Amino acid sequence: MNEISNKWIGTNTIRPDGADKVTGRAAYAADTSMPGMIWGRVLRSPHPHARIKSIDTSKAEALQGVKAVVTSKDIVEFPVDKPVALGIQDMRWMSRNVMAREKALFHGHPVAAVAAMSEAIAAEACKLIEVDYEVLPWAIEIEDALKPDAPILHDFVQFEGKPSNIAGTLEHKLGDIEAGFAKADVVIERSFTTRPVHQGYIETHACLVSVLSDGKTTIWSSSQGQFMVRAMTSLLTGIPQSSIRAIPAEIGGGFGGKTIVYLEPLATMLSKKSGRPVKMVMSREEVMRATGPTSGSTSTVKIGATKDGTIVAAQGVFYLQAGCFPGSPIRGAAGCAFAPYNIANVVSRGFDVVSNRSKVAAYRAPGAPIGAYAVECVLDEVAEALKIDPLDLRIKNAAREGTKAAHGPVYPRIGLLETMESARKHPHYKAPLGKFQGRGVASGYWFNAGGESSAQVNITEDGNVVVTTGHPDIGGSRAAIANIAAELLGIDYRRVSVLIGDTATVGYSNLTGGSRVLFASAIVVTDSAEQVIGQLKARAAKIWGISADAVVWENGEARPSGDHTGNFPTMTLAEIAAKATETGGPIGAGVQLNTTGAEGGFSTHICDVEVDVDLGIVRVLRYTSFQDVGRAIHPAYVEGQIQGGAVQGIGWALNEEYIYNKKGHVDNPGFLDYRMPVCSDMPMLDAVMIEIPNPKHPQGVRGVGEVPLVPVMAAVANAVHSALGKRYYSLPMSPPKVLEGLDEGTLQAAE
Amino acid sequence: MAKLHISTKINGEPTEFLCDPNDSMLDVLRGPLALTGSKEGCGSGDCGACSVMLDGRLVCSCLMLAAEAEGHEIETIEGMAEGEKLHPLQQKFLEMAALQCGICTPGVLVASKALLEKNQNPTETEVRYWLAGNLCRCTGYDKIVRAVLDTAAEMREATR
């Protein structure tokens, strides 16, 4: 653990990119242009499922102002029978997702792209492309995709020896499930459904790509990983990674949805063919039809407990929509669902189901909120059946140091119990409730992640500091890195500039995702800063003519110690930097690592709601999140993550859903009908940060970004149940659904 | 299609531009005028990321035709600070971490300034309903609302 003064760690400093962002000067992906730039546009499938028999682009190419047209022929093909893994993605599917090849698999699937002198000409050209489709039957919902006579999306996907839309399974097992249930006094089994929801970032996908005649390619785009953009674009275009420079624009929200490419490979091929820089910007409708969302699901959870409240067995089956290619987050759903509890006998299964929807993308703790929703609602019913307070039931069964989780790990010191006990003691938990008001609680877990990270810490000639890291900053990570660097070097944080490097200027760094960024970058920044401090001490030692071991670094100064104490005046960072040339040259250090030790994150939430029984509207009155944050390096941005996650979950619980019409098209592809929470929907949000430092991290950091979403839907659902005495088993609990479930008996009982 | 010649005033400066009849004000701000601080989150007036002031009224520039700017005055996020001096709302948003990714921030700031010009002492509920047209997906709105309320209090104090 870092035991130094903590002058900056734990303080709410001004973020390095702040002034740019409040003045409108920050450059997001769509804000950049280049000389000679032209505009790209995508032609999308009008059918949810169709074989592409032929594409004739000749009329589009002949249109005045059109400079290039691309189809799947221009994108590298990966045969379907040979996996090509890149992280958690498979390039077989990525290739077919960015541009339909044999078949169009959802309404909105790209089939061609055009670059022209203006967006209007590109749009006109798209209309001139003739695609001969053989329209096929389609399946949108899980139950339709699993019917015996369901249309099969991919002939090569087999389940139990037959072509199927079940593209993958996963099972976690612990103990003896049958024996466990045999011991139970109470067994509750319930089924739940959730709808797909979009990540809802306000910045639509955009990129600007320049390919020169020598093949040198520059990509400006908004993503959660410039190295992911480089790798995927390279694989999909055949341009070597060394020829591609991917520059991370400021990112206007991602939440997981920008961990894959959509436009970059198309713009690259359009630029290559046209010889011009090409800019592409998705409309909101394109974002809603063809990117993200996260999975819809159907789950069944069965939990058995003895009279004293000990959970003796738990079983979960989670079917998740993958969209049109394999790869739904069943690992998050089946793996995280029971992870907050010490249960001896567990079976947790996930099924990955393909159907004619856009391919799902990661969304904040992918899969985990789906699993937690079902498990935490059933736990509420177990508590009710046993007449035990729902938090007491959770406290009794909480995982702690030494607990073996069904998904594998044995936990080190964790702060879950503290989140539950803080909630139990908090005034919120005792506050009075009125008519049609209710309170719900829920807990949640997310794995967190480490992975590859790189940093460079350089001392400028005037004695200030530039830190370059490789993970796009999506919610304030630069501010936290500035705090850490300032702390270690003992200088004012305003003397530290933190930048996100591009693929040519910083070492490989994995995606911004998995709640990894501050965990991983703090490690490489700490290691780099320690090397820099070593150099600074050595330089001072050289100037003083003493051994480097006899120099200490304190409060931003080198000081002689031991026998030499007081023999020389201390030297500041600026004084040492001024003499860098004659003492050995530039001062700086870089570290590149595959970081490990990211322990899981836990939280417990309390939600109060009021149900308007005339309109069916559920209003959240009060919300408090209790989270083990490890160490809050920049508390305000940690709180911000916790608050933002809560509101995303409230949207998921109450309003957000993809609605499909009878033609297999998304019927609500915009912010008017896809109703995300607005300011007037929300109360103030309390975030209680509990700091149980991660013993495996120099500053004690645990990831904090994802777990804030995990318990929310269950907490809201449990609160609605508490308000009405009636439980809804499907999300969203939108006004029409709530009203439909309210009969006279329920209302009278609730009053 | 012949271009229209428009004379307007943007952030206090007389400005002329050419546009197509169907160009939105946002298209012209972000394109030929290179004022990319106003963002397009939806193009349908649902997200507020393109909020600007038109003759002192808050509007979504994506819902306004560029040609409608003729003879009127527009203020954008680029005109909010006075030189190097940030507007109190901009400063407060930084101090209170009222932004995360920052894409909604220009629109939220323009809208908040419009509120404080009309109402120097808004309640929390008034702030929440005034900003209901500005979507933010990162913050959950808590810190935004607090920053606006705090700024209002400070500005009242400063003018006493």
Side-chain angles (χ1 to χ4, degrees), chain A residues 23, chain B residues 10-12 25 29 35-38 50-53 61 74-81 90 106 110 113:
Chain A
T23 53
Chain B
I10 297 181
N11 297 326
M25 192 65 230
L29 286 174
L35 293 169
T36 54
S38 302
C50 65
S51 297
V52 300
M53 298 296 277
S61 59
I74 290 169
E75 286 171 66
T76 70
I77 184 65
E78 287 88 352
M80 193 160 168
Q90 292 173 310
V110 168
K113 180 167 175 267

Side-chain angles (χ1 to χ4, degrees), chain A residues 21 46 69 71-72 140 159 161 177 218 331 334 364 381 443 446 454 457 511 524 582 610 685 706:
Chain A
K21 286 186 173 160
V69 179
T71 65
S72 63
I140 302 288
F159 182 72
I177 193 77
T218 308
R331 180 176 159 265
R364 207 164 196 163
E381 294 199 41
S443 295
W446 175 247
S454 301
V457 175
L511 291 163
V524 288
E582 54 267 38
E610 179 173 75
L685 304 155
E706 280 161 297

Side-chain angles (χ1 to χ4, degrees), chain B residues 65-117:
Chain B
L65 289 170
E68 292 179 279
E70 175 67 38
H72 295 280
E73 288 191 31
I74 290 169
E75 286 171 66
T76 70
I77 184 65
E78 287 88 352
M80 193 160 168
E82 284 179 36
E84 275 203 320
K85 194 176 179 321
L86 295 179
H87 185 277
L89 278 163
Q90 292 173 310
Q91 186 59 35
K92 190 59 74 181
F93 270 53
L94 292 180
E95 288 166 9
M96 296 185 66
L99 62 149
Q100 284 178 34
C101 81
I103 194 86
C104 73
T105 307
V108 171
L109 284 168
V110 168
S112 302
K113 180 167 175 267
L115 170 64
L116 298 190
E117 281 165 7

